[in-house]
Every structure is written in C-alpha cells, then in structure tokens.
Amino acid sequence: MQLQFESRTLHLRHPFIISGSQYSEKIVFTATLMHDGIVGRGESSPSRYYGEPPESVQTMLSDTARWIGDISSPADIQTLHEVLLQKYPHQPSARSCVIMAAYDWLARSCQMPLYRLWGLNPHKTCRTSFTIGMDEPDVLTEKVKEAEAYPVLKIKLGNGDEDYTIMQTIRRCTDKTIRVDANEGWQRDEAIKKITWLATQNVEYIEQPLPKESLEDMVWLKARSPLPLIADENVMTSRDIPGLHHAFHGINLKLDKCGGMWEALRMIQTARALDMKIMIGCMVSTSLAMTAAAHLTPLTDEADLDGHLLIRDDPFRGVTINHQGQLILPESDGIGVTEQGIH
Amino acid sequence: MQLQFESRTLHLRHPFIISGSQYSEKIVFTATLMHDGIVGRGESSPSRYYGEPPESVQTMLSDTARWIGDISSPADIQTLHEVLLQKYPHQPSARSCVIMAAYDWLARSCQMPLYRLWGLNPHKTCRTSFTIGMDEPDVLTEKVKEAEAYPVLKIKLGNGDEDYTIMQTIRRCTDKTIRVDANEGWQRDEAIKKITWLATQNVEYIEQPLPKESLEDMVWLKARSPLPLIADENVMTSRDIPGLHHAFHGINLKLDKCGGMWEALRMIQTARALDMKIMIGCMVSTSLAMTAAAHLTPLTDEADLDGHLLIRDDPFRGVTINHQGQLILPESDGIGVTEQGIH
C-alpha cells in the first residue's frame, strides 16, 4: 500500500463571514492510496479553529506515507483507524482524509458504490441546505438570488442586532425554509429571545446557539426552546454525545472534525441510540469530501453539504442536488467522484 | 428476491441447566435468500424467555416470504431492517435470521468475507469461552474433562449454596480462567459476598448477577464489585445501553436478542462511546449463527460463542477455535460456512 498527496488552494465565490472569522481561500489536501492496482482518494479540509493548521496536515501525511506500507491492505480500515488515532490524536481532518481514501479503495475493490458496501438505500439521502454567510444587505440579497436552485438555506447569525437585519433582509427575498447557525455567537437570554422570534420565521432548527463552555445554559435553553437545538462546536466525537443529550436535541457531525467515516458511523449509531437528531455538515471542500459525506446521509436526518458549492474551482464532480434539495449519489464504484472534464 | 426457510431440532450433548430452566433439544430456523443467482443464509434460535416461541418464527418467516420480493435487493439492508422492525417489533430472533442472510448475500455478491466488507481485521477476533451448565459434581467433573480443548470456561451459577459446590468442584479439576453467569439468580447481599469470593478464584467477570428489575441494586453492586459486571437479560438493544452505564461495566449482545447484525453494530458503537465493555454471546445454535456472530468479534472485547459446541448434530462448519481459545474466521466469501461433508 502506498500513499501520495497534494495540497491545493480553493477560491471561494464570496468571502465567507461567520461569527468570529472571515476568509476567501481554503487550503485542502487530496490523499491517494494505491494497492493491488486500485486507487482510493480522500480529502482533508483542516480548520485552525479545531487546532489543525494546514502545515500540520502536510507533516502528518508525509509521515503516514512512510509507515502505511506496513499495513497489509486498505481493506483493514479497523487497524488503519486505530493506528492513525494513536499516532495523530489531535489531527482529525488529516485522519479523515486517509480513512476516506481507504473506504473509497475498499468499495472500488468490491466494484460497488460505498453506500452499497454499507447496506444503505441511496434513495434515503437527505435534503441539503445552502449556506449564506453574513454580509451587507445588498450583498445578501444578491446571494439569495444566486442560491435560487437550493430550496433550503442556512443562515449564519450570532452578531448582535445585525442578526435581525440579516434575517429580515433574507425574508424580504424568499420564504424558503431556513436553518440558522449562530456559531456560539449568543448568550442565554439573547438566545431564547431570538429563537422565539425565529420560530415565527419558518426556521427549522438552530445550530450551536451558545459558546461551547455554556453547557448549563444550554440545558436551560433546551427546556424552553421552541426550535430544535443542534450541537456543533460542542461535539467532536461519539464520546461527547452522551454528555450532550440533556443540552441539545441533536448533533452536527463533520468528517474533518471527528476523524473520518469510521468514527462518523459510531457517532450516528450513538446519537440514534439516544434518540438525538443527526445532521452531517462540512468544511469548505471539493466534491470529493462532499460526496463521501453524502454516502452517510441515508443514516442522518439532515445534511449541510454545500462546501463544494461555495468555491469557484471544484476539481471534481460527484454528488448532485435535485430540485427538492435532495442529495443524489453517483452510481459509480467507491465514493464515485471523477475529475472535472473526465467523464 | 426470494426467501425460503426450514426448521430443525438440534440435540444437546448434555441437558442444559441454568438458573430457572433445563432443556436437551433446541429448535432453530435456517433462512435462505436468493437474488441474482447468489444465495445468502441466516439462522434464528428463538427463546421463549424473550417471548419468541418457535411457532412465532415459523409464522413470521412464512409471512416475510410473501412480501420480501418487493424490496429491490438484499443489498438494501437498511430498508430490510426498517421494514422488519416495523412489521415484527417483538421478534428479534426471526428478524436476525433475515438480516444475517442479507449480509451473507451482500458479502458473497462482493466475493469477500463479511469481516472484510466491514473493514475489520480478522486477526482481532476474541477468545471465546466454553459453557459448563449446572450439574451434579461427578457430571461437572466429566464436563470439565470434555472441555479440555477450551482454555476459558463459562460457569452457570445462581442457585444458592450450590454455587459454592459447583465452583469448588470445577476448581478441583482445573485452574483455567472462568467467567461466571448468574442469570439473575442472586440478590444484592448474596451477590457482593459471592463476587468477592469469586474474585479470589481466577474469575474474569460476572454476567447478570441480579434480576433485571433490580437496577438500583446493580448501581450499588457496581460501586463495590471487585469484578466487572456485564448486563445480559437487562440489555436487548442499543436504546437500553445509555440507561445501564451506571449499573454495569459492560453488555452482552446477542443477535437473537437484538434483532440482528444491523442493530448489533449500533450496540457496539453505542457501548464503545460510553466506554463500556462489549461481549458477544449466543443461544444454542449451529455453526452458521456462531460464525456470523464471530465476524463481529474484531469489534468486541469478549466472546461466548460456543452454541455449536454444545450440540451433537451441527449441520454446518465455519468458525473454529485455536489452542488459545481464539476464534478463527473462515476466509471464504460471505459468512463463510459450508455444509458438513461438503468441502
């Protein structure tokens, strides 16, 4: 087994502004696993917020390329996952990339799509939302127009009184279903006030209303919220889930946050056993990572897999979205992505 | 997709005596799923204790054979699991049989062993124990001799002062590692006294010491027990696990109890997220069900998969056990069993 990788800079269609940060480029890594004449690919879109700068992924993948030949086959994902977790406990995005390549390899070696390897029904994928970052009213109006093809919008809030301006601006343009992500931007009393108002605005749920340290306030908020509350910054892996059951209605899992598909399956099963809602989200990424995540959506309730729609230079093609916003999985083997321009 | 099934009566080598019941025969069902020229097989070993008499399995499988053609392929295990759960919520053993056949079919259609479909390392299977039912001292001595090939024994206790006689009789014959299953046979104060003594007798852990209703006493016992305590009668599905975390150190999952491999994977992931020990057990069954369960053991900590060793007339061959008691998975496609006499 051999591993190669490359990094690339993705360019966003619009500078992305959320509570606390702004950026217009994103560095991602594509890993390629080769074994027995079959190739598997995975992607890492690391995040400084989660303590994983791009340089650390570069170092980890270089290091992994040196020892990965010792593992007999990419089909032994169990061993790969264990070794990666032990060697790089604080690099979930880099680990995800290698695990993704291994699952792509395994399903390609079976000559079947990844969802079928998992026994999943591809018609049970979720609707995905399309994200509108924070912006001035006229830019927001423009963005909502550009998002015409997507029937569910995700709006970033968490910036004081501007939240009302953003929401009202968007509601002047569209009555589409909206999901709100506050990215830890509110405090308790502000949150209950805003959520109570948002519940009258055809909003479906609220992601991470409070700072992740405010778990007691979350329990208070959950008891009063008219809308479901979804943990994002509060949940990294399956071990976090039992402790969040009393504070949130659901979790937002991301491959780059949890360490990859092996752990993502564990999170889905754990949340299901606790009767919690499951959504799967993403970082800004290419169609490779989006399509990989989409293979898990027959097991989730909601998806926010638009990372590839926010960039100008997606090198791959894979998952598509129909008029109802539902994710459509490719039928080809493995994760099922091809390079743009190659059919 | 077509389903056929047959029932058969297995004959035990010794009448099986546990706290509360005794039997020398066991009725099981073998289901066969056929689709695209590929055949998958599963087995049900139903239990009256769990409210599932053999007649109910017969009825359920006859009924399933009528509608199963409506599901496009056995590869859609997700849909099969959902429909079975909705139609037959109180027949976990019958559901397990159909799900097992579907997984066998799926892995055979990929031309790979089931463990590989799941990305598991076959060298990480567990040691299994061999069960010694309750009996008179001279019969017990005989049984321990017969069990010479198995380095770990499981002893059934839960019968007052006789527990000491049984344990002392066995310890006169062997110093092998012993696991104890009390099958709900003790009360709180009796349990702590016996467990404290058993901890000095090279005993590894205790299964279901108290009646399943005594959950508060279990919390008391867990805080004091010198040995790990494993839930059996207390745990049916993944939904039971979060509520048992404070009362037990681990769970004993069984395919016939939980409804099959789809749910078993969910139980394993949920228990892992809660840092609980996982053992996989069985009913009296053939090599078919034992081998199927053995495919899950790279994910569990302990196994008690001896159901096929307790019968005289195993029609299949599959999983074997090496000198260290470790389960050895067959390398052939699917679950990997063949009929006895067919190589």
Side-chain angles (χ1 to χ4, degrees), chain B residues 137-149:
Chain B
D138 54 337
V139 187
L140 278 178
T141 304
E142 190 58 36
K143 283 180 172 177
V144 172
K145 272 184 203 156
E146 283 178 34
E148 202 186 341

Side-chain angles (χ1 to χ4, degrees), chain A residues 130-160:
Chain A
F130 179 87
T131 303
I132 308 272
M134 286 179 181
D135 236 313
E136 295 305 311
D138 53 336
V139 187
L140 277 178
T141 305
E142 189 57 36
K143 283 181 172 179
V144 172
K145 273 186 202 155
E146 284 178 34
E148 203 185 341
Y150 309 111
V152 185
L153 301 181
K154 173 162 158 177
I155 307 298
K156 297 283 191 176
L157 298 183
N159 202 11

Side-chain angles (χ1 to χ4, degrees), chain A residues 36 73 75-79 82 103 105-106 109-110 112 115-122 124 238-240 242 262 265-275 298-299, chain B residues 36 73 75-79 82 103 105-106 109-110 112 115-122 124 238-240 242 262 265-275 298-299:
Chain A
D36 268 356
S73 157
D76 185 1
I77 297 176
Q78 175 170 35
T79 303
E82 279 172 20
Y103 270 117
W105 185 94
L106 178 57
S109 80
C110 297
M112 57 169 57
Y115 63 78
R116 194 171 166 195
L117 184 84
W118 286 334
L120 303 181
N121 184 334
K124 293 189 178 168
S238 55
R239 286 169 182 266
D240 300 321
W262 181 274
L265 286 164
R266 182 171 291 171
M267 292 178 79
I268 288 169
Q269 308 294 29
T270 303
R272 206 51 92 196
L274 283 159
D275 253 333
L299 292 169
Chain B
D36 268 357
S73 158
D76 185 0
I77 297 175
Q78 176 169 34
T79 302
E82 279 172 19
Y103 270 118
W105 186 95
L106 179 56
S109 80
C110 295
M112 55 170 59
Y115 64 76
R116 193 173 166 193
L117 184 85
W118 286 335
L120 303 181
N121 184 336
K124 292 188 179 168
S238 57
R239 286 168 183 267
D240 301 320
W262 182 273
L265 286 166
R266 183 172 290 171
M267 292 178 78
I268 289 169
Q269 307 296 27
T270 304
R272 206 51 90 198
L274 283 158
D275 253 334
L299 291 169

Side-chain angles (χ1 to χ4, degrees), chain B residues 271-288:
Chain B
R272 206 51 90 198
L274 283 158
D275 253 334
M276 291 178 83
K277 270 175 97 78
I278 303 160
M279 67 171 285
I280 182 162
C282 63
M283 307 302 179
V284 170
S285 313
T286 75
S287 277
L288 173 55

Side-chain angles (χ1 to χ4, degrees), chain A residues 151-312:
Chain A
V152 185
L153 301 181
K154 173 162 158 177
I155 307 298
K156 297 283 191 176
L157 298 183
N159 202 11
D161 286 345
E162 207 189 313
D163 288 349
Y164 292 102
T165 315
I166 291 173
M167 194 65 201
Q168 283 159 343
T169 303
I170 291 170
R171 273 287 167 254
R172 271 195 291 274
C173 315
T174 178
D175 58 359
K176 285 177 184 175
T177 299
I178 287 177
R179 300 167 182 175
V180 164
D181 186 358
N183 281 115
E184 312 182 275
W186 296 336
Q187 296 303 317
R188 198 187 83 164
D189 295 336
E190 175 190 11
I192 190 63
K193 196 174 147 208
K194 287 184 173 171
I195 295 169
T196 304
W197 176 69
L198 289 167
T200 69
Q201 300 292 310
N202 190 22
V203 167
E204 221 174 26
Y205 58 76
I206 311 287
E207 231 180 292
Q208 195 68 40
L210 307 183
K212 65 170 183 283
E213 298 74 20
S214 310
L215 215 52
E216 274 183 45
D217 283 346
M218 274 307 309
V219 175
W220 182 94
L221 194 62
K222 188 191 172 195
R224 287 156 184 82
S225 173
L227 291 174
L229 307 175
I230 309 293
D232 183 8
E233 283 84 347
N234 261 116
V235 61
M236 295 287 286
T237 75
S238 55
R239 286 169 182 266
D240 300 321
I241 300 176
L244 296 176
H245 181 227
H246 299 295
F248 290 92
H249 300 89
I251 58 155
N252 181 357
L253 77 87
K254 293 173 184 165
L255 296 175
D256 288 299
K257 204 170 61 165
C258 75
M261 291 168 155
W262 181 274
E263 175 62 24
L265 286 164
R266 182 171 291 171
M267 292 178 79
I268 288 169
Q269 308 294 29
T270 303
R272 206 51 92 196
L274 283 159
D275 253 333
M276 292 177 81
K277 271 176 95 76
I278 303 160
M279 68 170 285
I280 183 162
C282 64
M283 308 301 180
V284 170
S285 312
T286 75
S287 277
L288 173 56
M290 283 316 98
T291 309
H295 279 266
L296 288 161
T297 63
L299 292 169
T300 68
D301 300 304
E302 313 284 356
D304 175 36
L305 295 179
D306 62 352
H308 61 314
L309 304 174
L310 305 176
I311 56 172
R312 286 203 304 263

